[in-house]
Amino acid sequence: MAVKYELIKTCKQSGARLGRLHTPHGTIDTPIFMPVGTQATVKTMSPEELKEMNAQIILSNTYHLFLRPGHDIVREAGGLHAFMNWDRPILTDSGGFQVFSLSKLRDITEEGVTFRSHISGEKLFIGPEKAMEIQNALGADIIMAFDECPPYPADREYVKASTERTYRWLKRCMKAHQRPAEQALFGIVQGGMYQDLREESARQLVDLDLPGYAVGGLSVGESKELMYEVLDYTTPLLPEHKPRYLMGVGSPDALIEGSIRGIDMFDCVLPTRIARNGTAMTSQGRVVVRNAKYARDFTALDPECDCYTCRNYTKAYLRHLIKADETFGLRLITYHNLYFLLELMKQVRLAILEDRLLDFRDAFMMKYYGSLHPEKPF
Amino acid sequence: MAVKYELIKTCKQSGARLGRLHTPHGTIDTPIFMPVGTQATVKTMSPEELKEMNAQIILSNTYHLFLRPGHDIVREAGGLHAFMNWDRPILTDSGGFQVFSLSKLRDITEEGVTFRSHISGEKLFIGPEKAMEIQNALGADIIMAFDECPPYPADREYVKASTERTYRWLKRCMKAHQRPAEQALFGIVQGGMYQDLREESARQLVDLDLPGYAVGGLSVGESKELMYEVLDYTTPLLPEHKPRYLMGVGSPDALIEGSIRGIDMFDCVLPTRIARNGTAMTSQGRVVVRNAKYARDFTALDPECDCYTCRNYTKAYLRHLIKADETFGLRLITYHNLYFLLELMKQVRLAILEDRLLDFRDAFMMKYYGSLHPEKPF
């Protein structure tokens, strides 16, 4: 298998897992947050900056790269690692989520999904075989099965049919996958918010003995409580010696709560997206740098942070850059936000090692959100 | 005086000057190109990147910083160097050029210029005293006298009256300047394309024994030949032991031709501005990375360049980033373009040292423009 998960220990306080994931491009400490590089670049960042902040793996989007520049070009470049000058691990999603969320006039059949490009309007098709063809061309260390992420809320019959189709698509992905020795294909547990469907999906996937498992279809509008409830009954069904990836989740509270529930990998555009509005995640909670009250604030964005941004720049300067639409402002805040989440996960791993993740969670939540159970963080 | 120009030698072939300019924030090798950081940031670049490419001095714009964030905030931050985290020399212009080129409804009187902010529409005033107040607050090593840059073409009477007023404004600037020991005030030779007016302006300024002299009012629409002609009769009037700055000029040919005519300092937004259109300056002339022919070009932007961009990325990747509106593409091309001009000036300095600047010019022009006398470079 292309990747191997090594369980180091389980937190005695929470059940969270400390581990290592060995991949063809290096080893990742888990639980881990993966910065998102949608279009073969983590917005505004250089690979060197990502390494400087100790990003161990990044995610890139199959749907976007299929549309532009086209997976054939990336293949000719020598794959995504060479194309974007990133020699550490990469995970690509399957394109499924974006086909459903970004494109227009989509038509789902057993074969796959016909949709219109959100860029050119062109009519395109992705099915399980195409998703594998694209991801084999991109050459990421971890690739994802083509799935449907049902909307929320959705009735049981729809979710059931969708989850069953996703399972059939997974088997077609396994068959179509051309590079299993170099690229690990993860399956995605679906089933919406229905416990029996989740359990059925998990059991079916586990039977296929895949190199890793994702929990999909969460963070789609449901409450945090409901998301955690789904994780509570889903992750225990997944094999201990395989990595578990919670897709599209990256708020600080969810990273911790997900880790507590046995998740090893997370990704989210949150830190890069909110940076574009001049919003930072800090040890004191979120800071909207654009606010007038920071015009003369000559202190660091986060007094407890030692990242490049916090070591060298003030809120007043960051506010000026954001107000003046200067790219360097986005760079600096993006850098800080990614650093913040990567550091948070480092602290989570340390807390697991020291059997105190629940204590860490409570202290973090009170400091960051002012509440043990924040309902609407970012 | 805050700055001191040291003439090292004159090129025996061309008369160009090799020198050093000593400033409170370090010494600059001349002739030099100054990257422009209009809003207290060189667009998309970090200070570390600018140092890595050996930028020795940058320029920032008084007009923009007066409008946003306001010079009082920069003063409170400890000046522009501290505000933007740049510890090498800075030059600020006087705001004159931008007041005339960017703002609406301007009204010029003997007192100064009333104009409307191009951002807020607010009615504002800058005169010589205000320009000094702002620049004293910003704290650059070199500051510029408040001047009018007459349009081109303009009739002799208008240019004569304007140049005389600019001279009166200069004397008011000298009187209002509060930090002469730390900030060198340069005067600006005006006079449009009229030889007698240029000569009169130069003589008047030289009599004031300023720490440095700029040639303004060029690159405003006149032909290159005419610009060089003005330089031919203007720079010989300027004192040998003072630095000479040609404002707003930065195309490769003009940097070389200006150096040949005894100019020591140049600035221009060209390398950063054209980067935003995906255009690069290379040893083979300009490359429009956006062009379809580069979609599968997996070679460096400039095969003769050893900058960060050219060492690590291909034209195909740069094209993808530009087409996808990814900031990192602007970063990479901006980096390369600035590096290219800074390297060009390094070669110019070497050619002066070795008394072969005319030979260097001819070889460069043929290779870059395919002509010894390019009329319309960039």
Side-chain angles (χ1 to χ4, degrees), chain B residues 46-89:
Chain B
S46 72
E48 289 73 17
E49 285 162 338
L50 293 168
K51 288 181 179 179
E52 194 178 84
M53 63 176 77
N54 202 23
Q56 301 185 49
I57 174 172
I58 61 170
L59 179 146
S60 199
N61 291 108
T62 290
Y63 169 84
H64 288 87
L65 297 177
F66 170 53
L67 263 51
R68 191 170 54 196
H71 59 295
D72 51 336
I73 285 180
V74 179
R75 185 199 289 118
E76 283 176 48
L80 194 51
H81 289 90
F83 187 58
M84 68 182 290
N85 187 34
W86 175 256
D87 58 9
R88 293 188 180 181

Side-chain angles (χ1 to χ4, degrees), chain A residues 224-243:
Chain A
K224 295 257 168 161
E225 279 74 11
L226 185 48
M227 178 170 86
Y228 299 147
E229 191 188 311
V230 173
L231 289 179
D232 280 333
Y233 57 67
T234 302
T235 49
L237 302 173
L238 299 175
E240 193 179 8
H241 293 285
K242 298 287 174 66

